[in-house]
């Protein structure tokens, strides 16, 4: 990626590497015709993502409409990367919940979260940016 | 917020303070019945958010269905905070585009982005968490 092309496209493998290296993202889902957005902890299980949730709007939303989107990002002073996927969410039955035991699905907050939801991606895209934020480099007094 | 109550609710004023202190978030929007999610740069203008975009799916999406959600978050080793809002997006006409000149709406990537979109929040909520991530404190060899 040259300086003339600040936006670069990540390969699908690079997207999965970044998904495996993270555990915190944001889930967008439908709820009664509205779009909702919430931070979640997740883990990669083979070619899917898993997250845990209690009974509530996330679970209700994806059971009523399984169309979801999910995003992770990371940035420092000079670079940013973002992976976005769209996919199909599915509330796992008791016979599949054990899949969450085999992956590093570690809630950051120790509240009770019983249900396990799988997101099976249908599209994944990742972009990386060279950041141009000159205001970070302004040195007062110079 | 005690250790027994890891989830705390932020006041609306605290949510706006955090919105004003940041410039990078994620926008969820409808597009042809699907939910889409994308990182954006934004700025607060009075009681609204503004962002710039080129002609494309974001602009098409919010013109077809103005129902959107937006999220920012920040975390360190011990704490996390997240503000989520739902609102109504509106593509500003030429007579209102000047509003983007009066706020620190600074694109991180210098691509051409002509159109200005306003998000007028209808609901704002913020949560803060004490993080319990014992795996960060595991000291090898002890």
């Amino acid at each position: 990626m040259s300086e003339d092309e600040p936006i670069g496209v990540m390969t699908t493998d690079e997207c999965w590497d970044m998904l495996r290296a993270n555990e915190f993202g944001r889930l967008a889902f439908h709820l009664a015709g509205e779009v909702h957005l919430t931070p979640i902890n997740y883990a990669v299980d083979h070619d899917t993502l898993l997250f845990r949730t209690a009974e509530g709007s996330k679970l209700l939303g994806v059971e009523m409409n399984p169309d979801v989107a999910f995003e992770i990002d990371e940035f420092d002073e000079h670079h940013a990367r973002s992976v976005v996927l769209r996919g199909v969410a599915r509330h796992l039955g008791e016979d599949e919940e054990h899949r969450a035991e085999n992956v590093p699905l570690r809630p950051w907050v120790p509240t009770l979260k019983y249900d396990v939801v799988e997101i099976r991606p249908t599209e994944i895209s990742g972009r990386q940016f060279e950041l141009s934020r000159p205001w970070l480099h302004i040195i007062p007094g110079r």
Side-chain angles (χ1 to χ4, degrees), chain A residues 24-93:
Chain A
F24 176 82
R26 298 94 195 162
L27 177 75
F29 59 99
H30 302 266
L31 182 63
E34 296 175 343
V35 61
H36 285 249
L37 186 51
T38 186
I40 61 170
N41 289 120
Y42 75 99
V44 171
D45 180 35
H46 299 91
D47 55 351
T48 70
L49 309 186
L50 300 180
F51 68 91
R52 292 181 194 274
T53 184
E55 292 285 342
S57 64
K58 277 196 289 292
L59 198 61
L60 183 65
V62 303
E63 289 196 330
M64 291 172 64
N65 185 338
D67 176 72
V68 297
F70 179 78
E71 192 260 5
I72 61 173
D73 53 57
E74 59 188 27
F75 52 87
D76 59 22
E77 195 177 335
H78 299 294
H79 307 89
R81 297 199 305 167
S82 168
V83 171
V84 175
L85 63 86
R86 293 197 5 85
V88 178
R90 185 169 64 93
H91 179 188
L92 297 187

Side-chain angles (χ1 to χ4, degrees), chain A residues 1 7-20 72 74 80-85 121 123-129:
Chain A
M1 195 165 64
I7 299 179
V9 174
M10 294 166 65
T11 66
T12 302
D13 283 350
E14 287 171 336
C15 292
W16 279 106
D17 286 346
M18 187 166 153
L19 285 166
R20 276 187 290 266
I72 61 173
E74 59 188 27
R81 297 199 305 167
S82 168
V83 171
V84 175
L85 63 86
E123 304 164 31
I124 298 186
S125 63
R127 292 185 303 166
Q128 48 199 353
F129 309 91

